[in-house]
């Protein structure tokens, strides 16, 4: 590749800030997609995807070489000390060109090819349809209808083609409201609760100090009338009041309660994207302190204001969820309606609807409130070279708020922390086309469904890694966030996940999930063996009955003398009886021969295949506690998942246990994870 000036550098030191006196020495490889550091002694590899790099900094020359500091969007911070300054400069200039392409068509997703037979290219692109999600919400109906005016994105080019509005809304109301709202983002339905209360979203009105739009006022009144429960509704402006007032000078602003009848207006004070970006930067500085002390870290975390912002987003979402739960509809906006509005609408829906707390439902929520309604992923995540002021951790904040809810109600969510981390990393990786672009129209213009792979297709192959073992499907409809300051926590698993020595050896969720899978395997095996034993009992009882019937009637001497005593004849006779037996006959199912079933035999031979069924399932699984490396020599660290082979019970890394198959000793017949060696053995033994 032309951008790579130097593909390999030896004797590079990787500095861990917790172990600056004993840096690791290894080889640094620069490829078209990754920066790879290999430690020859421990065989440990550190992979850094170019698209994950947030910034690169050349530090002053030292006696040991030229240091290169790399900070990643995954919150990995690493320093490589390269022996020669010229080599460091070559690596630096190559990475500058590679980590942030100029054109969107140069992103990783357009060149990415998964391993053969991993998953097809079209997998995942058709998992979620916006109309199907609204049908689940019982829309359209006699109150809400599908608006077809945006089929070609004429009404609003950052909205989806399918938008749902009140039946009462006329064409003139829709067009005028769109023109009166910033970026044409008119009020549209995003969530309908079972009690007919709704959440609608839009952008700020172009009201200035005194402007008004009668059709926009009629539009909000039509939304209020869709809910027969109350004679008012809330309009929530997620911005601080002072920000909204300042926008009036630019001809924008907020709804005047004197013009909009039957609304109760609320400012709920979430700061803008620039404040959030600066806040997260301070969190990272707190995490990167060279000599961290308790007071130093806590003071730096407090001064960042990050947890205060998380609480603010959760508080606004809770206000909306509680209002809807009580039967009051809410219209939500911020400035342009694609950042703070996306956060609080999706979090309020998450609190209200248990479906969104499942894996499939959470993905559908992201598709609806973030992708379809135009959160600017490529700008906010800095996928390509763009204005630095447009980059902001809005989606990261949403995942953090979700994690806070999970921490408070661990039994209410089907997915675990790893699921959120995978989502976060791949939003920034551009390995898949799912989050590329700033709106639905962008993704269609780029033909991402035809040219790239979907993240949902990839994740569907790894669902067992994302299961929360504490999940209880039958839960309360509404979950409430505890907003007490003591309950808003620093997410160590996200912002400090690459720090050594501060994480448990195995995450509790992984240990619980592993124990649950082991129990499931044993229960499935026991069920299979129980059925086999029952079939043997059935056969034995039938045989005993026949024997009893035969002995009750004594044959005459003439009959005995005339009976042909011939082993071959008796064998053929038994074989013909078996052929006429039931299909579930245990011996027939395994092609059992009668050669070993002589009444004079004192031994009972096992049917063919029964031994395989017993040995095909590992009864004992190797304990996770003391396993430090996979058989392929890949070392395990705090964020590597250890996976058991269900056939041999050994522990492997995710690379070595990429196969699954149904085991003959299990009743369910479901495909389960097996290592490559067991997979080959089972394939050889299968007929």
């Amino acid at each position: 590749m032309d951008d790579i000036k130097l593909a390999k550098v030896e004797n590079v030191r990787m500095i861990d800030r917790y172990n600056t006196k004993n840096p690791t020495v290894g080889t640094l490889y620069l490829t078209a997609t990754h920066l790879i550091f290999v430690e020859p002694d421990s065989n440990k590899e550190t992979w850094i995807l170019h698209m994950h790099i947030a910034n690169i900094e050349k530090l002053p020359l030292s006696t040991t070489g030229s240091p290169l500091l790399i900070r990643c969007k995954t919150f990995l911070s690493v320093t490589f000390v390269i022996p020669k300054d010229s080599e460091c400069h070559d690596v630096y200039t190559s990475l500058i060109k590679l980590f942030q392409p100029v054109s969107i068509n140069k992103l990783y997703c357009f060149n990415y090819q998964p391993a053969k037979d991993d998953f097809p290219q079209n997998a995942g692109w058709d998992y979620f349809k916006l109309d199907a999600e609204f049908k689940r919400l019982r829309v359209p109906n006699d109150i809400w209808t599908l608006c077809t005016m945006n089929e070609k994105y004429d009404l609003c080019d950052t909205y989806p083609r399918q938008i749902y509005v009140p039946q009462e809304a006329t064409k003139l109301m829709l067009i005028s409201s769109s023109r009166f709202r910033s970026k044409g983002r008119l009020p549209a339905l995003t969530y309908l609760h079972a009690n007919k209360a709704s959440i609608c979203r839009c952008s700020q009105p172009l009201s200035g100090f005194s402007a008004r739009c009668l059709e926009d006022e009629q539009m909000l009144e039509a939304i209020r009338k869709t809910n027969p429960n109350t004679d008012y509704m809330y309009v929530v402006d997620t911005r601080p009041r002072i920000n909204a007032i300042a926008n009036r000078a630019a001809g924008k602003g907020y709804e005047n309660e004197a013009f909009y009848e039957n609304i109760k207006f609320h400012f709920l004070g979430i700061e803008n994207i620039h404040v959030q970006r600066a806040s997260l930067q301070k969190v990272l500085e707190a995490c990167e302190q060279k000599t961290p002390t308790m007071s130093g870290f806590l003071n730096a975390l407090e001064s960042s204001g990050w947890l205060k912002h998380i609480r603010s987003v959760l508080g606004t979402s809770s206000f909306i969820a509680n209002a809807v739960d009580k039967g009051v509809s809410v219209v939500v906006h911020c400035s342009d309606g694609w950042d703070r509005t996306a956060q609080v609408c999706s979090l309020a829906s998450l609190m209200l609807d248990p479906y969104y707390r499942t894996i499939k439902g959470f993905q559908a929520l992201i598709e609806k409130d973030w992708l379809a309604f135009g959160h600017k992923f490529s700008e906010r995540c800095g996928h390509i070279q763009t204005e630095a002021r447009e980059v902001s951790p809005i989606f990261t904040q949403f995942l953090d708020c979700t994690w806070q809810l999970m921490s408070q109600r661990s039994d209410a969510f089907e997915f675990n922390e790893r699921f959120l981390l995978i989502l976060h990393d791949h939003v920034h990786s551009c390995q898949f086309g799912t989050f590329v672009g700033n709106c639905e129209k962008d993704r269609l213009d780029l033909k991402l469904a035809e040219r790239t792979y979907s993240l949902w297709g990839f994740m569907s192959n790894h669902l067992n890694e994302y299961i929360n073992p504490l999940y209880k499907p039958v839960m309360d409809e509404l979950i409430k966030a505890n907003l007490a300051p003591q309950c808003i926590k620093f997410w160590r698993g996200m912002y400090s996940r690459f720090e050594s020595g501060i994480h448990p050896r195995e995450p509790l969720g992984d240990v619980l999930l592993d124990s649950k899978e082991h129990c499931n395997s044993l229960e499935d095996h026991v069920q299979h063996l129980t059925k086999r034993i029952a079939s043997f009992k059935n056969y034995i009882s039938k045989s005993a009955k026949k024997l009893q019937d035969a002995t009750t009637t004594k044959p005459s001497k003439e009959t005995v003398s005339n009976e042909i005593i011939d082993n071959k004849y008796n064998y053929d006779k038994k074989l013909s009886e078996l052929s006429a037996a039931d299909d579930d006959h245990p011996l027939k199912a395994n092609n059992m021969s009668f050669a070993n079933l002589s009444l004079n035999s004192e031994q009972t031979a096992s049917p063919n295949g029964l031994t395989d069924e017993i040995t095909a399932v590992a009864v004992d699984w190797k304990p996770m506690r003391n396993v430090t490396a996979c058989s392929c020599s890949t070392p395990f660290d705090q964020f590597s998942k250890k996976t058991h082979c269900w056939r041999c019970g050994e522990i492997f890394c995710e690379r070595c246990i990429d196969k699954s198959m149904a085991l003959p000793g299990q009743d369910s017949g479901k495909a389960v994870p097996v290592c490559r060696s067991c997979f080959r053995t089972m394939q050889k033994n299968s007929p």
Side-chain angles (χ1 to χ4, degrees), residues 12-31:
V12 175
R13 294 168 180 262
M14 185 174 74
I15 297 177
D16 180 347
R17 68 187 181 89
Y18 284 113
N19 187 21
T20 53
K21 293 182 180 179
N22 298 304
T24 307
V25 180
T27 304
L28 191 66
Y29 296 91
L30 188 60
T31 73

Side-chain angles (χ1 to χ4, degrees), residues 336-580:
D336 292 321
W338 48 44
D339 291 317
R340 288 166 280 196
T341 301
Q343 287 178 327
V344 298
C345 286
S346 52
L347 284 166
S349 301
L350 191 70
M351 295 174 187
L352 287 162
D353 193 338
Y355 172 69
Y356 291 134
R357 301 194 286 270
T358 65
I359 291 174
K360 186 178 179 182
F362 194 74
Q363 292 171 337
L365 183 66
I366 291 170
E367 282 277 346
K368 173 171 65 76
D369 274 316
W370 292 83
L371 291 165
F373 275 95
H375 176 66
K376 302 198 293 182
F377 277 104
S378 281
E379 285 193 13
R380 295 292 180 260
C381 299
H383 289 163
I384 58 174
Q385 289 182 25
T386 185
E387 287 187 57
R389 65 192 308 275
E390 288 297 317
V391 177
S392 190
I394 301 302
F395 190 72
T396 301
Q397 222 169 25
F398 163 67
L399 295 178
D400 195 328
C401 290
T402 303
W403 179 81
Q404 301 287 343
L405 291 172
M406 285 171 58
S407 299
Q408 294 179 13
R409 290 294 303 272
S410 57
D411 55 349
F413 292 82
E414 185 186 21
F415 47 85
N416 57 19
E417 182 185 43
R418 179 176 280 108
F419 176 76
L420 299 180
L421 295 176
I422 289 287
L423 267 176
H424 175 271
D425 290 355
H426 282 300
V427 163
H428 293 90
S429 74
C430 298
Q431 183 173 334
F432 304 97
T434 306
F435 294 97
V436 171
N438 291 319
C439 59
E440 184 181 276
K441 184 176 182 295
D442 281 359
R443 295 180 190 98
L444 287 174
D445 291 344
L446 288 167
K447 298 182 179 178
L448 293 172
E450 301 167 24
R451 300 171 61 195
T452 68
Y453 287 80
S454 167
L455 175 60
W456 310 136
F458 166 79
M459 294 183 82
S460 66
N461 278 11
H462 302 270
L463 290 180
N464 62 310
E465 297 172 26
Y466 313 136
I467 297 296
N468 169 23
L470 300 176
Y471 175 57
K472 295 177 183 175
V474 182
M475 292 300 302
D476 303 332
E477 288 288 309
L478 176 70
I479 61 169
K480 295 185 178 182
N482 188 334
L483 300 174
Q486 302 91 326
C487 295
I488 308 299
K489 299 189 287 188
F490 172 71
W491 190 3
R492 182 189 64 195
M494 171 70 88
Y495 309 114
S496 298
R497 64 174 136 155
F498 295 99
E499 303 292 0
S500 56
I502 66 169
H503 299 280
R505 188 161 33 196
E506 286 90 27
L508 179 60
D510 284 1
V511 176
L512 288 173
L513 185 59
D514 188 69
S515 300
K516 185 178 179 182
E517 287 181 342
H518 193 189
C519 289
N520 289 343
S521 174
L522 293 176
E523 286 171 2
D524 203 352
H525 189 42
V526 166
Q527 194 169 1
H528 176 80
L529 294 178
T530 302
K531 287 186 178 180
R532 296 290 277 150
I533 291 168
S535 64
F536 279 119
K537 282 182 177 178
N538 184 41
Y539 173 71
I540 292 169
S541 62
K542 284 180 180 178
S543 300
K545 191 172 183 302
K546 286 181 182 179
L547 189 61
Q548 188 179 10
D549 291 343
T551 54
T552 51
T553 308
K554 265 195 171 183
S556 62
K557 280 188 179 182
E558 291 81 6
T559 309
V560 173
S561 62
N562 293 333
E563 190 175 297
I564 303 171
I565 302 172
D566 187 340
N567 285 337
K568 186 176 184 309
Y569 170 77
N570 289 333
Y571 171 78
D572 292 339
K573 185 179 177 184
K574 289 282 187 184
L575 196 61
S576 64
E577 288 176 6
L578 177 60
S579 300

